[in-house]
């Protein structure tokens, strides 16, 4: 699916109308408009619940010429609140209609184009300016769907901006291995069905014949029943509001009676009747009569049109809706509550109500856009249609106007027809000799004392609903009773690891605030209790079983945080042996290195998924720990794996604590099931990511967060209609951090084309590489690595040969012709082929390869892009005063100048390469030493110096780290130092030491393959 198409021209809606004599200029948020007198109109026919009532707008005008809005716009709107969240600009949702709808006041005639991002200041307008593509992406960046199918071209309808969110990851180079920590993924910008927090990036407008009307963003005054997150600036205890787990919802939309919706808190709206002064009638279009509020639809036409009536006294302005500084972050979708009846669905295919459903027979029925089944509309959901066939409340209901939204689930969607309890976090700490000796246990216990204050919470909740428990283990397990009534924690030991059970229920899972004193006492005592241990053996499977049994006994879902140091060789279920054998590389048995040693781990993972028990694994190995086996349970339960080889507190403390804080604080969904529905002509056939599937349609995730991506492959298996396109709906049922059962819905409409040339013109290379990498990395489980590499090369050659044969103009066979959108396909594919999973160097361990393999499986498109082709940023070529990020250069040694300094990052690793001829002043400014020879090779922290260059480089490093989901440890590399070999491994356009081809050689090889296919 193509998501990075160029943005078609988009109309800026909601700009101020010119003031004409006799017409009142609309105003907003309590700001006065023009002084022209108002002309009140009588009530219009037809119910319109929940619209924001505003004065009439004035006569219509011709569409402006395309381009940026006139300069006068900024002045006209001065002092008004910028308020454009949804349904404006380049966001087009809703079913198609052949007839253009009349515009509501505040909208702008269709036709003016969207200025380039950043080309004009934000203009404060009645309903706000059209969002830029970056804003749209930020609003809707969440769950995305990826496909190997080459995407189609855009229709003439409104488009969406390209994704801009960046990949996230981190890691570093420990002393022994190539990989320290690899990312699990981040909220993806493109093409992937992405997990719980965040919103999908829509990738195409509604079908091309859709109406050009885009209404005001939100409805009328807030309903008293709305609840939700605090607005920015409203503080509460805990982390800052900017943190990903403490986000605000978009502004609420007013809904018809009987429908509740959660959103930001606000005062109840004033109650008005038609006779009361102070409640503005709503004008329908430029000349249509206005209509008053009709909350209970007592009669369909409560007042006669009053086109010729005399102007009355000016009406007071509507109440101010939002402070300009308090416009909420759009990171959370609207939550809609349909009460006991639950969300409206198609009777046949079970698709949920969405903007593409077509209402017929005056609104009494609707036709499903996925299976064409005709369904009755329940009486409580009925609403009249306007003259275009659209419901008059379409823009008051998120499910009829937005691409992403949530429904509160009814008890029918819960296990055993019982609403879930709030989830729990259990911290399971390895206290064997290795963990104690390195200082890991003491560091962890100190950090947990403060970190427990920042557990994820729902909206503006005072405190998190999540309960916590603690277990320590080596060969046996120690459970702790931390009940608030106790003076000291109590320890209970379970030594029968073959038949695991939980020795206590009451007092094991507790509220942090209630039991704070006991928990603090426990965390102080754990390092001292085991300080003299000599026990080196550990168990693994019984630890997870214990956590799962505890959650089962508490009847809740949850997450286990496992801190583990060594290969589990103690006598217990899941015991492993060291099977690290480099002689198997490049043989048919190499695939066994990626497979789990025993089936016990997969069986355990299935049980965990059934219970909603997700595992996050933090590994601290000094030698082989069989990551391929240990990572099976986190992988199948939707968890994460973090790896810190040869952990040393002084070198790795910052990286570990940063990863831990982010992992504990991020918003998580539990006990989730995802299903993707499609319209006729395409179907989902394959899924890639960290999840478990017990059948061919349901993706089951014990846990899900914004760093996980699900890639979906769609197959085109029937005739597609260019007019109606292809529709996708992704429905995710999950339990929130507060224990609320919810349904998150994402809808997507895609263009279709009949010409191959159109297909190649709109394909998305980054998405294709993401899919091909995941396809190959799964293939190594069952096929020799060489066969997987050959398959990738053949696939790529066939794609390019098809273009040459069917789309390119005739030319000599000796000429290599690539589609414009696929010019980078060979260079990216070569990077995948040279990656450590498919072509390991001598220094890459088996654990490293297994670790990378499971990491890439959950990466989003932006992450795989930078992971396979790292960014190389020259630091000394741009002016020091420049605040923009340097432009990346190609990742090749010939691009390095020995008089410059370069920063290289791939989402996991961060290198600062210093040329041997760098000016002495630069060395002094950056490292506080007088010459190149005095720089410490392998340095991981730059000195904090008060000069422009030092501030700029440290600021850039902080900025890069903030873009990634894992902390990237810095390594300073001097030219011609022994660490330079490590750095050159990431210069992917050059020939690699492991035998990988250079970009030029690979391009020649691809050309030969294409010519063979054509001949």
């Amino acid at each position: 699916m193509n998501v990075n198409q160029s943005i078609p021209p988009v109309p800026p809606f909601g700009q101020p109308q010119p003031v004409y004599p006799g017409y009142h200029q609309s105003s907003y948020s309590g700001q006065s408009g023009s002084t022209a007198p108002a002309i009140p109109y009588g009530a219009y026919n037809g119910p319109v619940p929940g619209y924001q009532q505003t004065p009439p707008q004035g006569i219509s005008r011709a569409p402006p010429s395309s381009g940026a809005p006139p300069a006068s716009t900024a002045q006209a709107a001065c002092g008004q609140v910028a308020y454009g969240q949804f349904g404006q600009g380049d966001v087009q949702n809703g079913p198609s209609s052949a007839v253009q709808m009349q515009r509501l006041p505040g909208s702008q005639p269709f036709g003016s184009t969207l200025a380039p991002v950043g080309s004009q200041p934000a203009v404060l307008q009645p309903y706000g300016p059209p969002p830029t593509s970056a804003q749209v992406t930020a609003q809707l960046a969440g769950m995305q769907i990826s496909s190997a199918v080459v995407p189609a071209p855009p229709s003439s309808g409104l488009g969406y901006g390209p994704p801009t969110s960046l990949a996230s990851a981190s890691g570093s180079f420990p002393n022994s291995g190539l990989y320290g920590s690899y990312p699990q993924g981040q909220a993806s910008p493109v093409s992937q069905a992405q997990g719980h927090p965040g919103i999908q990036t829509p990738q195409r407008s509604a079908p091309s014949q859709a109406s050009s009307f885009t209404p005001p963003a939100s409805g009328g005054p807030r309903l008293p029943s709305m609840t939700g997150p605090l607005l920015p600036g409203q503080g509460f205890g805990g982390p800052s509001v900017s943190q990903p787990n403490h986000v605000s919802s978009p502004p609420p939309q007013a809904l018809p009676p009987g429908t509740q919706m959660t959103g930001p808190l606000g005062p109840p709206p004033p109650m008005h009747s038609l006779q009361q002064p102070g409640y503005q009638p709503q004008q329908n279009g430029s000349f249509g009569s206005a209509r008053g509020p009709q909350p209970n639809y007592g009669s369909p036409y409560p007042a006669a049109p009053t086109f010729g009536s005399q102007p009355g006294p000016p009406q007071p302005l509507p109440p101010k809706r939002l402070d300009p500084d308090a416009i909420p972050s759009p990171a959370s979708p609207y939550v809609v509550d349909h009460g006991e009846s639950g969300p409206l669905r198609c009777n046949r295919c079970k698709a949920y109500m969405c903007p593409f459903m077509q209402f017929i027979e005056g609104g009494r029925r609707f036709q499903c856009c996925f299976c064409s089944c005709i369904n009755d509309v329940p009486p409580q959901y009925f609403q009249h249609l306007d003259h275009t066939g659209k419901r008059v409340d379409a823009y008051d209901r998120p499910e009829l106007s937005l691409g992403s939204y949530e429904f509160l689930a009814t008890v029918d969607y819960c296990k055993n027809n019982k609403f879930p309890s709030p989830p729990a976090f259990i911290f399971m700490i390895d206290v064997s000799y290795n963990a104690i000796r390195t200082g890991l246990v003491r560091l962890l216990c100190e950090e947990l004392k403060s970190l427990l204050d920042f557990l994820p919470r729902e909206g503006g909740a005072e405190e998190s609903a999540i309960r916590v428990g603690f277990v320590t283990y080596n060969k046996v397990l120690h459970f702790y009773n931390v009940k608030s009534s106790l003076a000291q924690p109590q320890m209970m030991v379970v030594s029968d690891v073959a038949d695991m059970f939980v020795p206590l229920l009451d007092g094991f899972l507790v509220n942090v605030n209630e039991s704070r004193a006991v928990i603090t006492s426990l965390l102080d005592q754990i390092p001292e209790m085991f300080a003299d241990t000599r026990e080196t053996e550990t168990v693994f499977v019984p630890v997870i079983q214990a956590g799962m049994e505890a959650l089962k006994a508490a009847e809740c879902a949850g997450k286990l945080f496992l801190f583990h140091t060594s290969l589990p060789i103690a006598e217990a279920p899941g015991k492993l042996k060291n099977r690290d054998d480099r002689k198997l590389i490049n043989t048919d048995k190499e695939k066994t290195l990626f497979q789990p040693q025993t089936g016990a781990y997969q069986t355990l993972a299935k049980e965990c998924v059934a219970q909603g028990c997700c595992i996050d694994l933090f590994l601290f190995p000094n030698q082989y720990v069989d990551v391929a086996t240990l990572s099976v349970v986190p992988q199948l339960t939707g968890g994460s794996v973090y790896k810190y080889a040869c952990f040393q507190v002084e070198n790795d403390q910052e990286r570990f604590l940063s990863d831990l804080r982010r992992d504990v604080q991020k918003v998580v969904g539990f006990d989730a099931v995802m299903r993707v529905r499609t319209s006729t002509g395409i179907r989902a056939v394959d899924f890639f990511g960290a999840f478990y599937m017990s059948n061919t349609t349901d993706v089951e995730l014990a846990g899900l967060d914004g760093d996980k991506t699900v890639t979906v492959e769609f197959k085109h298996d029937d005739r597609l209609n260019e007019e109606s396109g292809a529709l996708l709906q992704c429905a995710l049922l999950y339990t929130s951090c507060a224990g609320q059962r919810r349904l998150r819905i994402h809808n997507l409409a895609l263009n279709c084309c009949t010409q191959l040339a159109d297909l190649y013109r709109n394909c998305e290379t980054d998405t294709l590489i993401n899919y091909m990498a995941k396809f190959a990395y799964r293939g190594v489980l069952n096929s020799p690595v060489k066969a997987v590499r050959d398959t990738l090369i053949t696939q790529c050659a066939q794609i390019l040969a098809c273009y040459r044969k069917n789309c390119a103009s005739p030319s000599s066979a000796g000429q290599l012709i690539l589609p414009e959108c696929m010019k980078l396909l060979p260079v990216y594919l070569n990077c995948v082929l040279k990656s450590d999973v498919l072509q390991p160097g001598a220094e890459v361990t088996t654990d490293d390869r297994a670790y990378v393999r499971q990491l890439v499986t959950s990466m989003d498109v932006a992450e795989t892009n930078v992971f396979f082709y790292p960014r190389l940023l020259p630091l000394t070529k741009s002016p020091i005063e420049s605040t923009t990020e340097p432009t990346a250069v190609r990742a090749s040694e010939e691009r390095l100048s020995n008089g410059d300094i370069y920063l290289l990052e791939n989402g996991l690793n961060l290198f600062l390469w210093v040329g041997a001829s760098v000016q002495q002043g630069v060395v002094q400014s950056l490292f506080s030493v007088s010459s190149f020879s005095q720089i410490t090779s392998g340095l991981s922290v730059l000195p904090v110096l008060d000069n422009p260059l030092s501030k700029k480089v440290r600021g850039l490093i902080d900025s890069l780290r903030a873009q990634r989901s894992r902390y990237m440890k810095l390594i300073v590399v001097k030219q011609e130092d022994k660490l330079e070999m490590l750095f050159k491994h990431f210069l992917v356009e050059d020939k690699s030491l492991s035998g990988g081809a250079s970009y030029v050689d690979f391009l020649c090889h691809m050309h030969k393959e294409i010519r063979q296919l054509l001949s």
Side-chain angles (χ1 to χ4, degrees), residues 426-429 431 469-474 476-482 486 489-497 499-509 522 526 529-530 542-551 553 560:
I426 304 178
F427 297 90
M428 319 193 87
I429 305 167
V431 288
F470 300 89
V471 174
T472 55
Y473 69 95
N474 40 46
V476 296
L477 276 74
H478 321 103
F479 293 80
Y480 296 93
N481 185 345
V482 283
L486 296 175
Q490 297 173 347
M491 179 168 85
M492 299 183 186
V493 181
V494 176
S495 54
D496 183 7
V497 291
D499 186 17
M500 184 46 61
F501 67 97
V502 180
L504 77 160
L505 295 178
D506 188 30
F508 179 62
L509 296 177
L522 171 66
I526 286 175
M529 273 193 286
F530 300 98
V543 182
I544 295 177
Q545 282 174 335
M548 184 181 65
E549 291 296 333
L551 294 176
L560 312 182

Side-chain angles (χ1 to χ4, degrees), residues 40-43 52-56 279-283 290-293 315:
Y41 293 90
Q52 175 70 28
Q53 309 296 334
T54 57
Y279 202 78
Q280 300 297 335
Q282 169 83 31
Q283 185 193 6
R291 50 197 177 192
Q315 299 291 332

